[in-house]
Amino acid sequence: MPDAPRPPSNASRYLFVLIAGLLIGAVATVMLVRAIHARQDPLPGSLMHVMNAQAQMLRKSRDQNRCGATEVVPRLQAMRLLSNDLDLAFPGLRDDSRFQQHASRFRATLNDALAAPPQDCVALATLNEAIGTDCKACHQDFR
């Protein structure tokens, strides 16, 4: 007696459903990540990146032995201008006295540096250290 014909395999259907599920899952994940990212405020991170870039340029000026006021003052002015937006960038910390102390100390360091810009590389190194100390103190408390 001849063998009964075997029914066709469902493997191709299962493979199609698996691939479709993976593709739909990947698209849904990308959409979810973009939705979460769109809800985040870019100001705090952007402000910190720009201030860090300015501080790095000050350190680079010191490393390149270009420590005159013409090199340093524009960086200090930019940092001082950016420091005015610290309260705006971190509204949840606006009423925190420690945050206000750190922000005020940072602004005072920049104000003092602008009032009497460093004239040599030793003074610029000291200023870079003071700025770094101010930043580190705040980041230790609030990062």
Side-chain angles (χ1 to χ4, degrees):
M1 181 179 242
D3 290 338
R6 292 175 61 184
S9 173
N10 290 332
S12 62
R13 290 183 189 157
Y14 292 138
L15 182 62
F16 175 75
V17 170
L18 176 68
I19 291 173
L22 289 174
L23 191 62
I24 291 170
V27 169
T29 301
V30 168
M31 290 174 58
L32 179 66
V33 168
R34 286 191 179 185
I36 290 171
H37 183 63
R39 290 179 177 255
Q40 293 176 345
D41 184 11
L43 181 59
S46 300
L47 181 68
M48 290 295 108
H49 282 293
V50 174
M51 288 180 77
N52 184 42
Q54 294 295 332
Q56 285 178 348
M57 284 188 253
L58 278 176
R59 287 190 294 275
K60 187 176 178 182
S61 291
R62 163 66 178 90
D63 294 341
Q64 294 176 346
N65 207 22
R66 295 182 359 214
C67 305
T70 57
E71 284 286 328
V72 174
V73 170
R75 304 290 146 245
L76 295 174
Q77 288 172 334
M79 290 178 77
R80 180 58 181 95
L81 186 63
L82 291 168
S83 71
N84 289 335
D85 290 335
L86 287 171
D87 293 334
L88 179 65
F90 301 100
L93 300 174
R94 186 177 301 172
D95 296 329
D96 191 313
S97 63
R98 294 177 305 153
F99 180 76
Q100 290 303 323
Q101 284 177 328
H102 290 304
S104 294
R105 191 175 312 124
F106 182 65
R107 289 182 191 117
T109 299
L110 293 173
N111 287 339
D112 292 344
L114 285 168
Q119 299 299 319
D120 58 13
C121 289
V122 174
L124 181 56
T126 303
L127 174 61
N128 285 339
E129 188 175 316
I131 290 171
T133 301
D134 290 344
C135 291
K136 185 177 180 181
C138 187
H139 285 203
Q140 283 178 340
D141 286 347
F142 296 104
R143 202 168 208 188

